[in-house]
Amino acid sequence: MTAQTPITVTEHLWIPLPDGRRLSARMWMPAGEGPFPAILEYLPYRKRDGTAPRDATTHPAFAAHGYACVRVDITGSGDSEGRFDDEYSEQELSDGEAVLDWIAAQGWSTGKVGMIGISWGGFNGLQMAYRRPEALKAVVSVASTVDRYADDIHFMGGCLLSDNKNWASQMFAYMTRPLDPKLRPDWRAEWLGRINDLPFMAADWLRHPTRDAFWKHGSVCEDWAAIQAPVLAITGWADAYVNAPPALAAKMTGAPAKALMGPWEHRYAHISQIEAADFHGEVLRWFDQYLKGEEAGAEALPDYRVFMQEFTEPSPKNLPQNGRWVAEAKWPSPQVSDVVWPLAEGGFAPAPQGGTASVKSPATVGQAGGYFCPGIRIDNERPGDQTVDDQASTCFDSTPLLAPMEILGRPRVRLAFSVDKPVAQVVARLCDVAPSGQSQRITYRPRNLCHDDSHEVATKLEPGQRYEVEFELNECAHRLLAGHQLRLALSTSYWPIVWPAPEAAEITLHLEGCALILPERRVEVEIDAMAPSAARDYPRYKAEILEAPWGEAETRVEADGTHVLESFDSYGAAQDLTHGQRVSSNVRMRYGIHPDDPATARFDCSWVFNFARDGDGEEDDWAVRIETDSWMAGDRETFTLWRGIKAYEGDEVVLTREWSEVVPRGCL
């Protein structure tokens, strides 16, 4: 497959909506008269520049295989009309239904449409299927979620993720980028209008600290049977989004669902830095089966194909991982069963033990945790050696294993506890400790101890009162080797991934009620794993690279004892050879906290975007720059969030504005 395969590309077309608005689209058409089944990718990241490099590697290849591919920017993004109102809003999803209807009604269309996407596009592909539009016949959803509260960038286990503000800061920069004058003569007025009307998303999301109707909207786990379109769910172990594929494979009842879990970070598998794989082949098999009606082998796939990891020397870099591919014909699998390891002082026991253990951590535990979602920055994002965090945590270690042990699924932690503060959280990490002493994180998850199991109710704790909780960690697949130890590390903080509780709490564990429950996999004869092949040749983006991407990060301790993690990522500069636009961008982030005072946690973020195009004699040169700054801090009662922007046309500042919000902490 090469870029020379004959297809037709329409750089820009308008898709009309029922209320008169229009969405901006790009389309790749196969050779021949058709009609063709179609593939839709629908998201706000700008087809003209934002995802253009990635789009160039997928849609031309799919079009060459006989699919009409349509890439659409949602309302208020890119060159689409209207105003953006929030992620996965009713406006976004109802517009998406109209787009599907439009595609199905075109003369070049068979009326059968599949949706594909990663992250945002993976989310709304599932959400669109939940609404059961007639034209949507199949979905490929990558790095997505079935529960917007439990498994996105806002909250995890009822705890606030710092990415709630980080991602909002990124979206603030993304959604204030200018429209293209070549497509929108009204670009300037619309650009400034978008900036002024953009919702303060970080504050809006923070005002919903429990799993209420706001988060249930768009969470397909509310009714698994509602999805009637077959779903291929894909992600990688280096990604943050690991729980949706096996959940879909286990719980979807209205259509086939298959899960594929590789070693990859938050990228399509063919462009992953970690053992790139044949994403194209996986997608085409799925759509050939369900859009073309061909016998392509999709129905015969095992329910769960998974890269079973083994100990790999921990590194923040996106490096190859040890392991092998395995598969489970059905999921849940009869070859996976729970084993219960009761906690004992410093380790595990064959039966429940008496006694207590204390969990009280410095606020800096988590510094070896890496970036929340590897694949967003340039590199240096993954968890490192966990030893430094283990030493500041309360650890329970197994004896060295006499034989290998495989874990597949979601381990659970059961705790009986009391606390000395009204708001407290616990973070559980499962680690593979090698004979060398190096500790590799297998999985983790925080839990807000103020929450009930539904996360719909949060109540402050009574110091000294005994409570019980059991919660799942994130999905994992890991083979522990003989001689290695399994470690459960518990802490009261995990910064900067998790925003800390307002006070340093001490948790007293009542060990007779504490246990680790492991989903152990025992297989006598492996079935064919049907592992994805190595990445095939694929088309490339037509651009002149003016500056290569690069990034760096450093940690330091300031004079007052504050621990700081600071990173800078330049996403480089490039000129699109089709329409001549030049784009460059960079981001600087700073996380600071004092180990003795979790209320000192603070996040700062600055983005810069530059857009330019040379005039052609009839048009003047065009140059636009945006600079956005954001920060978040808190005290024991409230969070304060701030953002500001400077927008330039040429050297002239055309808009400066600041926003500030104060949100009560409640039980966060």
Side-chain angles (χ1 to χ4, degrees):
M1 174 65 231
T2 68
Q4 283 72 46
T5 304
I7 60 173
T8 301
V9 182
T10 302
E11 287 294 324
H12 170 70
L13 61 92
W14 289 114
I15 296 179
L17 299 176
D19 65 0
R21 288 178 295 117
R22 301 176 300 172
L23 300 185
S24 176
R26 191 180 187 199
M27 186 163 67
W28 296 258
M29 290 292 290
E33 295 184 2
F36 309 104
I39 297 173
L40 168 64
E41 190 167 10
Y42 176 59
L43 62 162
Y45 300 150
R46 299 168 58 100
K47 64 175 178 60
R48 192 74 160 167
D49 45 67
T51 63
R54 186 181 76 200
D55 296 343
T57 72
T58 55
H59 294 299
F62 301 151
H65 194 76
Y67 291 95
C69 296
V70 186
R71 166 69 179 84
V72 180
D73 283 331
I74 70 172
T75 290
S77 69
D79 298 296
S80 290
E81 295 179 343
R83 290 288 188 268
F84 174 81
D85 56 355
D86 199 0
E87 56 182 16
Y88 323 120
S89 68
E90 179 58 33
Q91 171 182 263
E92 175 184 334
L93 298 180
S94 61
D95 287 354
E97 290 179 295
V99 170
L100 287 166
D101 289 343
W102 180 88
I103 292 173
Q106 301 309 298
W108 45 259
S109 171
T110 64
K112 295 183 177 181
V113 186
M115 287 189 71
I116 188 174
I118 180 172
S119 202
W120 196 303
F123 278 48
N124 66 26
L126 292 177
Q127 293 163 6
M128 294 299 299
Y130 187 84
R131 297 163 77 98
R132 287 182 276 190
E134 177 62 28
L136 183 58
K137 303 301 184 184
V139 172
V140 176
S141 181
V142 183
S144 61
T145 189
V146 297
D147 190 327
R148 292 183 55 220
Y149 181 81
D151 281 308
D152 194 9
I153 51 81
H154 309 292
F155 299 92
M156 184 186 290
C159 298
L160 175 65
L161 296 172
S162 64
D163 256 47
N164 186 76
K165 179 56 175 170
N166 182 8
W167 178 243
S169 302
Q170 187 165 343
M171 282 299 293
F172 178 44
Y174 276 16
M175 301 305 291
T176 55
R177 292 177 288 186
L179 298 80
D180 190 334
K182 281 191 173 293
L183 303 181
R184 293 292 300 269
D186 59 346
W187 74 272
R188 184 183 290 102
E190 281 298 295
W191 174 42
L192 299 180
R194 283 184 182 181
I195 294 173
N196 280 310
D197 293 344
L198 189 66
F200 200 156
M201 286 174 279
D204 293 342
W205 300 332
L206 191 52
R207 291 190 186 95
H208 297 273
T210 56
R211 194 176 183 276
D212 59 10
F214 179 85
W215 300 113
K216 292 178 183 179
H217 168 80
S219 292
V220 301
C221 63
E222 291 296 296
D223 182 3
W224 294 102
I227 300 177
Q228 301 291 313
V231 174
L232 174 61
I234 305 173
T235 195
W237 294 123
D239 204 307
Y241 295 95
V242 296
N243 295 320
L248 288 160
K251 297 180 180 180
M252 265 185 60
T253 59
K258 305 292 185 180
L260 176 63
M261 306 280 283
W264 316 300
E265 76 277 34
H266 195 73
R267 293 185 176 95
Y268 283 148
H270 68 292
I271 53 175
S272 171
Q273 298 181 65
I274 309 172
E275 301 179 45
D278 183 16
F279 178 68
H280 299 84
E282 297 292 332
V283 171
L284 292 172
R285 173 169 51 199
W286 198 255
F287 286 150
D288 285 354
Q289 183 90 40
Y290 297 111
L291 299 184
K292 290 184 176 180
E294 299 176 359
E295 181 45 62
E299 291 182 347
L301 289 170
D303 278 3
Y304 197 7
R305 291 176 292 155
V306 57
F307 185 77
M308 178 67 67
Q309 301 185 103
E310 292 182 3
F311 182 86
T312 304
E313 184 173 341
S315 170
K317 302 193 73 63
N318 290 314
L319 299 174
Q321 300 295 296
N322 297 327
R324 75 192 197 285
W325 283 91
V326 302
E328 295 293 340
K330 298 296 181 183
W331 189 253
S333 170
Q335 301 179 123
V336 177
S337 57
D338 285 347
V339 293
V340 179
W341 288 11
L343 270 57
E345 184 177 353
F348 303 96
Q353 302 288 300
T356 62
S358 172
V359 183
K360 184 175 183 179
S361 315
T364 46
V365 169
Q367 58 190 302
Y371 193 65
F372 172 69
C373 189
I376 302 295
R377 294 187 53 226
I378 302 302
D379 202 350
N380 297 303
E381 306 167 283
R382 303 198 63 190
D385 187 340
Q386 299 294 290
T387 302
V388 63
D389 285 339
D390 293 351
Q391 290 172 343
S393 303
T394 300
C395 294
F396 301 86
D397 291 355
S398 73
T399 56
L401 298 181
L402 299 178
M405 177 183 186
E406 290 188 353
I407 302 168
L408 178 60
R410 299 190 67 171
R412 305 195 307 278
V413 173
R414 181 186 303 150
L415 300 178
F417 68 94
S418 53
V419 294
D420 66 344
K421 297 291 189 296
V423 175
Q425 60 190 20
V426 66
V427 181
R429 288 178 294 116
L430 210 56
C431 300
D432 181 344
V433 182
S436 66
Q438 289 181 301
S439 177
Q440 180 186 13
R441 194 183 75 190
I442 299 172
T443 185
Y444 78 102
R445 197 165 178 90
R447 173 62 189 241
N448 187 332
L449 297 175
C450 297
H451 280 220
D452 70 352
D453 289 341
S454 72
H455 296 293
E456 296 179 17
V457 176
T459 307
K460 290 191 175 181
L461 301 162
E462 290 289 337
Q465 181 173 324
R466 180 189 167 107
Y467 296 91
E468 295 182 357
V469 67
E470 183 172 309
F471 60 98
E472 292 181 318
L473 308 190
N474 294 318
E475 184 80 12
C476 65
H478 194 89
R479 184 173 189 260
L480 290 134
L481 302 177
H484 286 230
Q485 294 172 271
L486 183 63
R487 172 173 291 163
L488 173 64
L490 300 177
S491 60
T492 51
S493 58
Y494 203 53
W495 176 259
I497 290 178
V498 178
W499 202 277
E503 299 179 272
E506 181 174 8
I507 301 170
T508 300
L509 300 179
H510 306 284
L511 294 177
E512 80 282 356
C514 299
L516 172 65
I517 301 102
L518 296 170
E520 184 179 12
R521 179 176 186 262
R522 290 179 177 268
V523 179
E524 291 186 5
V525 179
E526 296 279 6
I527 64 171
D528 182 358
M530 300 186 71
S533 303
R536 63 179 69 181
D537 186 25
Y538 53 83
R540 307 294 173 130
Y541 181 45
K542 296 179 181 179
E544 179 184 358
I545 303 302
L546 307 175
E547 178 192 334
W550 63 279
E552 62 183 9
E554 71 161 346
T555 57
R556 64 179 184 273
V557 179
E558 298 186 334
D560 65 353
T562 297
H563 287 235
V564 172
L565 167 62
E566 192 164 58
S567 64
F568 177 83
D569 288 283
S570 170
Y571 293 92
Q575 182 169 22
D576 189 294
L577 298 181
T578 301
H579 52 69
Q581 184 175 257
R582 296 190 299 276
V583 181
S584 65
S585 63
N586 63 71
V587 58
R588 185 178 301 278
M589 293 184 284
R590 180 187 185 277
Y591 298 89
I593 197 167
H594 194 284
D596 299 333
D597 186 359
T600 60
R602 179 180 168 115
F603 169 72
D604 293 82
C605 181
S606 299
W607 279 86
V608 176
F609 272 96
N610 288 284
F611 295 83
R613 181 185 284 117
D614 296 333
D616 58 9
E618 297 180 3
E619 296 179 341
D620 294 332
D621 292 349
W622 175 68
V624 166
R625 177 181 176 91
I626 59 168
E627 299 174 354
T628 65
D629 293 287
S630 303
W631 60 260
M632 175 175 167
D635 55 30
R636 293 182 179 180
E637 301 297 330
T638 62
F639 295 110
T640 301
L641 303 92
W642 179 93
R643 69 181 190 183
I645 186 170
K646 282 188 177 180
Y648 298 78
E649 187 177 354
D651 295 327
E652 179 186 358
V653 177
V654 294
L655 185 147
T656 300
R657 188 170 172 191
E658 298 179 3
W659 297 257
S660 182
E661 296 275 359
V662 176
V663 180
R665 287 190 76 127
C667 291
L668 293 175

